[in-house]
Amino acid sequence: MELNVKLLFPEFFVLTAAVVGILIDLLLPKRMKNGFFATFSVFVLFICVFLVLFSSPFVPEEAFNGFVKKDLLTGLSQVLILFSSLIAVFVSYGFLKKFDTDYVGEFYYTLLFAVFGAMLMVSANELATLFVSLEVMSISVYILSALFRKDYRGKEAALKYFIMGSVGAAVIVYGFALLYGLSGSTLYGEVGRAISTLSFPVLLSLALVISGFLFKLGAVPFHGWTPDVYHGAPTPVTLFMGAVVKIAAFVALLKLFYPVFLPLVSEWGEVFAVIGVVSAFAGALMALRQENVKRMLAYSAISHTGVVLTALVSVPAVAVFSVLFYLFAYAFMTVAAFGFVSLLTENGFKGENLSDWRNLYGKSPFLALSLVVIFMSLAGIPPLFGFWAKFYILVALVKVGKVGIAVAILVASVISLYFYLRPVVYAFMRKGEAVLPPVEPFELGAVAVTVLFLIIFGLFPELISQASIFALSSFLRGII
Amino acid sequence: MREIFFYLFAFLSVAFAVISVTHRNVVKGGIALLASFVSLGAVYFTAGAEFIGIVQVIVYGGAIVVLYLFALMTMDLKSFGKEPLKTLSVAVGGAVSLVLLVSVLYAGYKFYGGVVTAGISGAKEIALPLFYRFLLPFEVVSVLLLVATVGAVAVGRREE
Amino acid sequence: MTTFDFFVLSGLLFAVGLFGVIVRRNVISLFFSLELLLNSANVLLVGFSKLQGNLFGEVFVFFVLAVAAAEAAVGLAVVVALYRYRKSVNTEDFSILRW
Amino acid sequence: MGVGFLIAVLPLISFLLAGFGVLFGWKSFKRRSHYFGLVTVGISLILSFYVLFKVMKGAVFSEKWFNWIISGGLSACFGASIDSLTAIMLVVVTFVSFFVHMYSIGYMHDDPGYDRFFAYLGLFTFSMLVLVLSPNFLQLFFGWEAVGLSSYLLIGFWFKRKRAADAAIKAFIMNRVGDFLFILGVVAVFWVFGSLDFHKVFSQAGAVSAATLSLISFLLLGGAIGKSAQFPLHTWLPDAMEGPTPISALIHAATMVAAGVFMVARCAPIFDGSYVLPIVGVIGVITAFGAATIGLTQFDIKRVLAYSTLSQLGYMFAALGVGAYVYAMFHLFTHAFFKALLFLGSGNVIHAMSGEQDIRKMGGLYKYMKITATCFIIGTLALVGIPPFAGFFSKDKIISAAFANGHLIFWFFLVMGALLTALYMGRLVFMVFFGEERFDAREMKHLHESPAVMTVPLIFLAVPSIFAGFLGGWFEKFLKSSVPNHVRELSHSTELLLITITVSLALLGLLIAAVIYYWRKISPEVFTENPVLRPIYLLLYNKYYFDEIYSLLFVRGTGFGLGKIYAFFDKYVIDGIVNGVAYFTSWCGEVLRLTQTGVVNNYVAYFGIGVVTVILLLLLV
Amino acid sequence: MVSVILLLPLLGALFVALCRSEERVKWIALFTTGLTFLLSLYVLFNYDISKGGFQFIDYGSWLPTFSIKYKVGVDGLSLIMLIMTTLISFIAVPSAWRYIDRRKKLFYGLLLLLETAMIGVFVSLDLLLFYIFWEAMLIPMSLIIGVWGGERRIYSALKFFIYTFAGSIFLLVGMVVLVIVYGSVTGNFTFDILQLSHFKLPLELQKWLFWAFFIAFAVKVPVFPFHTWLPDAHVEAPTPGSVILAGVLLKMGTYGFLRFSLPFFPDAYRLYAPVIFILGIIAIIYTALVALVQEDVKKIVAYSSVSHMGFVMIGLFSLNVQGIEGAIFQMLNHGLVSAALFFIVGAIYERLHTRKVEKMGGLASFAPKLAALAMLFTMASVGLPGTSSFIGEFLTILGGYRAAHWVGYLMALGVIFGAAYMLYMYRNVFFLEPKVLSFKDLDLREFLALGFIALLVIWWGFNPEFIMKFIHGYTASLLGGV
């Protein structure tokens, strides 16, 4: 038995911090909780970033009998997860000030549990670990969503997410069960060795696993929960769901599919591409006339997911690279967008609707300009970060001659441009009064930083490209 | 003999499952679910997975279903009202379930399995892989339960 | 007792569960169906475990059981909380988030 | 640069000075704006005579001012190339322009746009001079369009009047119809000859097939028809009379409208080699005869003169058509003087009548304005072709050339045209200057002879109207160096016979006019009310309904009619498709959004469908 | 040097953002655009014509992963476009002076950003860099339309943005396909325009890529039937927006045809020239007729743009020296003339608060300066010799005629129709009995700005060689290479 516990040090650090949080929560008076826990979580996450940076090996390393495998892909995605969570914490701090709840402590440490789940999910190298960490993350998110007082929407969202999540979990477990039956093992490497052709049991397990992941990612037709949950959940939680859960799911997908289903890559690649195109279109179409920004962003998330999925049809190296890059951009954009919404939200969910953003420029030019950056980046207009993500996907697709798919996702992006422009229209061109609650400096700072990143990485994407390439090569070393 | 019990309990579990899903009365549905789970435990038992069989009965029967029933008690059952049957829902649900059932059966047919050896796996046999090989998920499951407990308390508590 | 038998059992449970989740508007009944869904995987895992001769499948079942328990707890907590708002457990009443 | 440059540019200076005065409202410039014109055009006039004498002595001016367009093989410059043809034109243009300037001082005296008028005059003179000086097709086109612009500006000089504004647009656009062909002609010349220089082009003309030459000359002819208001593009000229009268004299009688004739004469080597010449002739004859018939029925003094201008231009075209380029130019030369004279005279009449132009309200003016009347009558005699006035020589040459070259039908109509000319001019003179006074008392008070500044130009123009005809022989010889003249020699007796016929017909015309309008032996109503002749009269009176037909076909049909259809098409079909795609997309979104029912069971159903779909997809790929 | 020009407006935008006063930003903008213009003149005068080719190249690594470079430079074509862009931007500031009466900081900031993007389009020597500027320009432009525009501004802004964006996605795909094909054939993955233009693609691929590029450029030009965004955008845009839209943005499409379509896909270019001819002729005649019946002054001018761009398109596809040089010159000229016309329409709108033709009339009696300049630009639009329009129009007709006689005949018809709608508009606005009681003539600022353009229009009308000498070398090498 080879534990190699130190490899999982960052995860355990977060876990410990969360457990410590439970204890502290019992001791602290309520009014101090928000400030303390926010600071605490920021510190934990911040330190954890460094832990991840220092502990991620270039040459993949395994721990716990090979149940986890760490490489730079893991490391990079963990950094991304931690970064998004950091912003989530910043945003939560402001949000919790505006929206009262009795469970401040619970909120923060559940968030840390969710981060732990996500981090473990991207390191998992075994089916049970993947499943369990997935559930840790999911259940934490259900709880986070339902935690706010007098917040019916959050609870409805939690219920929907819960039911769908359970179905998803069941389906994915069913797929895992089949995989186990086929190979007699649950380790990725060993399962992969047993799978070479697309016999029907393999196909069924593949289909079920794909379905499970597609559900987590919110691709059509597994997307039903996405708008409702994104809409209903408290905005920082939506932010977390939009960024962290999606990154974790995507990276877990990469880490599962390439080692396990490598011989079948062309088959499932095609499936992802088809689903991706459908999602890209459906998401874009459904968002068109959406008045609620959170809901609109949810539909846009569906569309973005679709775009990323299409990249999987490309050759593995390129696909992983472009997916990774896209995840970077997507995480930044999602964080910025939901952070922005949270910034503008006031009691009674004012500020979530487009009509509440009328003439935002008149109230706050800076926020209005940030809005332009965020939404134009989401739309993929150069020279913002989102463009490069789309561009690399495009390169990946064209590289394997899938020009039709490339055109399709770009057409979808044209459709989505309309609803990305609508916030800009409201903020700049419509007359009226914007709702602008007192702005929390931390929250604002966090959003401003992400917006700045969107511009900087838009102008100099090389940094992210290089990081992605490192992660890619490290990952490839592990599966060959 | 085991085989007969296996098939018997398997049949029972499916039958009770159908009842629990289709019965209009939730409490009776819960009882049927309990019966289904117990039958399933018996199936595991006959298949030789004794530890799992017992755990199944304890966890599902003893914990989960009871939890449901407790939860039901906090609610006013009369307020549940009648549940109108949606034809489209039934049609889609039926079709999808049927297709998936056929797929699973076809996969089972294609799957080379052969006869299952009924080696007994009690707590001792399970313990080894659980605590050695599957140490990490096991630990994580504890975290999961912790989160669930804390969270369920926080979410379920009455707001004032 | 062949592997196929497990497939049949698990498939039936899966189908029943899925049918329930799609059709039942009563959340509690829906939860029952969810449990059945998870159990269907368990059946398969147990069967495979016996077939493969190692106990990994059964260990997996153990995890699934734990997850099911945790989910049930959280799910019920949410339902109870929602019941306080709506005095209903019908999913159609929990649909202000739509379109 | 050189003397040609000076001649052309001086009027431009006048334009600029006066123009800036207008633009910035400089009061001191306003009352003095005529000085700029008089001085600059005066100098140009003197220089033109200088040039003429130089050319007579055999000098050749060839100037290159500056490069214009250079692109690939194309290289066109601004410059001047002065041969006898140009020299004559220079003199005509500057001469008439100078006197029109002078005349305008009086005529436009009270107009608020006084300075603007002189600015435009300067611009026009400049453009016309550039046109005649041009050494290549492109500069020719420049001048061609620039005179068009000036003409447009001057016709629309009183822009508040809708009729003036419309007439201006009509003139410009009908000219453009010609220019459309003309520019294609230039383009064709370039691609055929590889150059636009007159010298190079004309020297190679012989080496090019007749078909190609026909194409080119047909296109060029289009331009000439537009500018010279020949059938079927003639309708703008009568309307152009909405402009101030000096303008009608300068632009729409003496110079600009003659540019078409000048151009065809200039391009004689091309036309000679083509099959187009007969077409030129036919067009000329149609215009000469048709316009004369219309002139019989008009009551507006300027319109009668305008139709007479059309008719005379028709004669010139007929001359070109029979190959008598020099005679065409000669007629252009004499016509410039006497037609300018006639217009300026009519201007005096209008001035005296306080703007009244209807000849039915005039009569007996001879008493009141003797100088004007005398000059007008001189002009009339010249126009009608009574020896020894200038028009007699030039017109007769054309008519006999038509006969000599065997175009008997041409000859017949031209002769009949001469009769008609005498008829309508006689009618005009008798109705305006003689007979009963039909104006009312209010106008009576104003009646007076015009000031000297308006009569002196008349006298100066009357002189060449009388004597220019005697220059015929010299003119022919002088111009031969630059323009060919293909006319067969006729025997003296035939020539004499022809002259007799022409002159007697002219006299007959005058006689008939006198009978009807002077002695009043026959009432004009005999013709107009006669049930047989009335349709003909109405046809003529309405100018063969050309305006109505064109308006229906082109303005309301092709222009606004088609435009409205296209605009509808653009808005509802092309843009409709664009918006339709957008609406359809949006509609799809709305429909898809309805699937998002909020009921979680449905989502699970989608999930289930999704699983099945994935399985199917995996089975398919 | 080119980089400095490129980044200077950006810097100016930064200053505008930092400036505290809402009034002083005008002067910052004026100063920045002016300085940019002067610097571009410096480049113009220091461009070595005898050497030709690309000069003032700035070069830097940007995205080595995909060998995307920061590479800018100018050749004859770029130079002309650069001058035009900086000039029009410089003119746009005074046109906004009074028209933009709120959110001035935002406006001038956007204007300067827009200028950078526009310059970037014309000087980029890397495909992707080009594309970035090409798209980046959409944001400030549609904001300008949407914030300061007329009644239907939002509709127009969205339409403009989405329509052009929709067009350019095909460009993006085409670019990527081109680069990847190039990379797989030569083993050298590059976005460098110069390297790519020496590459001979198989005809089948050329055909596809040609259309991909075509859609993007055609929407921008706009070529019939992709033109319907333009009247909407123009009508609703504020004056400076229209000035820039007509002055510079439309040229990006035609620039794209020259810079990319022709060198990259010469065979397809030649093959499909007749299609373009037909579209160009439809644009010339059809839109002229549509313009004739419009009641909104801005719409007339907008449709006239479509019509004029028809000449440019035909010139570009005539594939002979005259046609292409004429087209380039016409691009420049149309930039000046339409900018000036929109300036004038804007000036009238500021005074009368209407753009409807029937509410105007007789303005010439109040405003001689305006009327005179308007007449000049009307005549320039009509293509009167002596204005720079004539040069372009004549040369394109020359080129079109050479390519196919029927093309020449039909496009020359534009000479008639173009005159018709412009003259009717002039008559309705400036002639006839006045329908307004008073009307202020141009003030000094407006007069200087318009007078400056007027001078250029006339100067280049008589001395086009001043501009053309930069183009000769370019066309020679372009056509030599094809």
Side-chain angles (χ1 to χ4, degrees), chain E residues 166-181:
Chain E
S168 44
I169 59 170
F170 295 99
L171 173 66
L172 185 58
V173 174
M175 268 164 42
V176 172
V177 171
L178 174 70
V179 168
I180 283 177
V181 169

Side-chain angles (χ1 to χ4, degrees), chain E residues 187-202:
Chain E
N188 176 14
F189 193 81
T190 181
F191 280 86
D192 192 314
I193 291 170
L194 300 183
Q195 288 183 37
L196 288 170
S197 48
H198 296 305
F199 180 53
K200 185 113 174 86
L201 283 166

Side-chain angles (χ1 to χ4, degrees), chain B:
Chain B
M1 196 59 196
R2 292 170 73 100
E3 311 255 312
I4 294 168
F5 276 110
F6 176 83
Y7 290 120
L8 175 67
F9 285 117
F11 172 75
L12 279 178
S13 69
V14 173
F16 279 117
V18 171
I19 291 169
S20 80
V21 165
T22 52
H23 207 286
R24 287 192 182 280
N25 188 322
V26 187
V27 179
K28 285 181 187 160
I31 307 286
L33 187 70
L34 180 61
S36 173
F37 285 163
V38 172
S39 315
L40 215 51
V43 168
Y44 295 157
F45 220 87
T46 54
E50 293 180 352
F51 176 72
I52 293 298
I54 290 166
V55 172
Q56 166 87 10
V57 173
I58 294 172
V59 174
Y60 272 115
I64 298 179
V65 176
V66 173
L67 193 62
Y68 281 124
L69 295 177
F70 265 106
L72 277 176
M73 281 174 205
T74 66
M75 304 172 192
D76 180 9
L77 285 182
K78 287 190 191 102
S79 70
F80 284 15
K82 277 228 166 171
E83 196 181 340
L85 217 59
K86 302 275 155 106
T87 328
L88 189 63
S89 247
V90 174
V92 172
V96 167
S97 310
L98 211 62
V99 171
L100 286 179
L101 175 63
V102 170
S103 308
V104 171
L105 294 182
Y106 186 64
Y109 169 70
K110 280 280 178 183
F111 185 88
Y112 176 67
V115 179
V116 173
T117 52
I120 310 294
S121 50
K124 204 174 101 190
E125 288 79 9
I126 288 282
L128 202 69
L130 185 61
F131 293 124
Y132 284 83
R133 191 179 160 93
F134 284 85
L135 178 62
L136 180 66
F138 183 76
E139 295 298 338
V140 177
V141 161
S142 63
V143 174
L144 178 71
L145 289 171
L146 176 63
V147 175
T149 320
V150 177
V153 170
V155 172
R157 209 192 309 177
R158 190 181 293 274
E159 295 168 12
E160 51 291 327

Side-chain angles (χ1 to χ4, degrees), chain A residues 116-162:
Chain A
F116 165 72
M119 284 174 73
L120 192 61
M121 205 174 145
V122 297
S123 342
N125 195 31
E126 192 260 358
L127 299 176
T129 316
L130 176 62
F131 175 63
V132 173
S133 52
L134 177 79
E135 281 304 315
V136 171
M137 185 180 73
S138 306
I139 287 183
S140 306
V141 174
Y142 308 149
I143 294 168
L144 283 174
S145 173
L147 214 48
F148 279 78
R149 167 208 278 216
K150 302 251 162 56
D151 176 20
Y152 167 75
R153 295 196 322 177
K155 296 192 173 67
E156 185 181 321
L159 178 70
K160 286 180 181 169
Y161 197 20
F162 168 74

Side-chain angles (χ1 to χ4, degrees), chain E residues 80-348:
Chain E
I80 303 301
M81 294 293 123
L82 176 66
I83 289 289
M84 185 184 76
T85 309
T86 52
L87 173 63
I88 301 285
S89 305
F90 184 44
I91 296 296
V93 176
S95 82
W97 209 258
R98 220 168 37 213
Y99 196 98
I100 302 300
D101 50 2
R102 61 199 181 92
R103 296 187 180 176
K104 291 177 193 148
K105 249 170 97 167
L106 180 63
F107 178 80
Y108 291 103
L110 289 173
L111 192 71
L112 291 171
L113 282 183
L114 186 60
E115 189 181 2
T116 289
M118 293 187 303
I119 294 173
V121 165
F122 293 127
V123 299
S124 297
L125 289 182
D126 185 278
L127 261 185
L128 210 67
L129 191 63
F130 165 82
Y131 185 80
I132 283 174
F133 286 122
W134 171 271
E135 296 255 296
M137 158 239 109
L138 293 176
I139 302 173
M141 191 67 229
S142 43
L143 272 178
I144 286 177
I145 297 174
V147 177
W148 294 274
E151 247 164 59
R152 276 154 47 91
R153 60 184 191 279
I154 294 171
Y155 166 78
S156 307
L158 288 178
K159 190 172 184 177
F160 164 73
F161 201 142
I162 295 173
Y163 206 142
T164 41
F165 185 75
S168 44
I169 59 170
F170 295 99
L171 173 66
L172 185 58
V173 174
M175 268 164 42
V176 172
V177 171
L178 174 70
V179 168
I180 283 177
V181 169
Y182 179 83
S184 65
V185 172
T186 63
N188 176 14
F189 193 81
T190 181
F191 280 86
D192 192 314
I193 291 170
L194 300 183
Q195 288 183 37
L196 288 170
S197 48
H198 296 305
F199 180 53
K200 185 113 174 86
L201 283 166
L203 182 62
E204 202 49 41
L205 199 59
Q206 276 193 30
K207 286 180 183 170
W208 283 102
L209 290 180
F210 174 82
W211 288 115
F213 278 58
F214 172 81
I215 291 175
F217 298 145
V219 169
K220 202 79 136 207
V221 169
V223 175
F224 175 91
F226 302 108
H227 64 278
T228 51
W229 62 269
L230 183 123
D232 285 322
H234 266 152
V235 168
E236 299 304 329
T239 308
S242 304
V243 165
I244 288 188
L245 204 53
V248 184
L249 256 60
L250 306 191
K251 315 305 173 304
M252 290 184 179
T254 44
Y255 174 82
F257 278 114
L258 268 181
R259 178 66 80 219
F260 303 110
S261 297
L262 179 52
F264 291 174
F265 326 115
D267 303 322
Y269 195 90
R270 198 184 308 273
L271 186 66
Y272 292 122
V275 181
I276 312 299
F277 290 153
I278 291 169
L279 291 180
I281 285 162
I282 293 176
I284 291 172
I285 295 170
Y286 165 91
T287 36
L289 285 173
V290 176
L292 189 64
V293 298
Q294 296 301 319
E295 280 158 7
D296 186 315
V297 187
K298 263 190 156 177
K299 259 201 175 144
I300 300 176
V301 184
Y303 274 110
S304 88
S305 290
V306 182
S307 191
H308 285 147
M309 292 319 274
F311 281 101
V312 178
M313 286 304 292
I314 294 175
L316 289 183
F317 280 81
S318 66
L319 280 174
N320 49 53
V321 179
Q322 284 84 0
I324 288 178
E325 290 190 352
I328 296 172
F329 197 83
Q330 177 75 342
M331 279 153 75
L332 173 67
N333 156 71
H334 178 259
L336 294 178
V337 173
S338 59
L341 284 172
F342 278 116
F343 197 126
I344 287 170
V345 173
I348 295 174

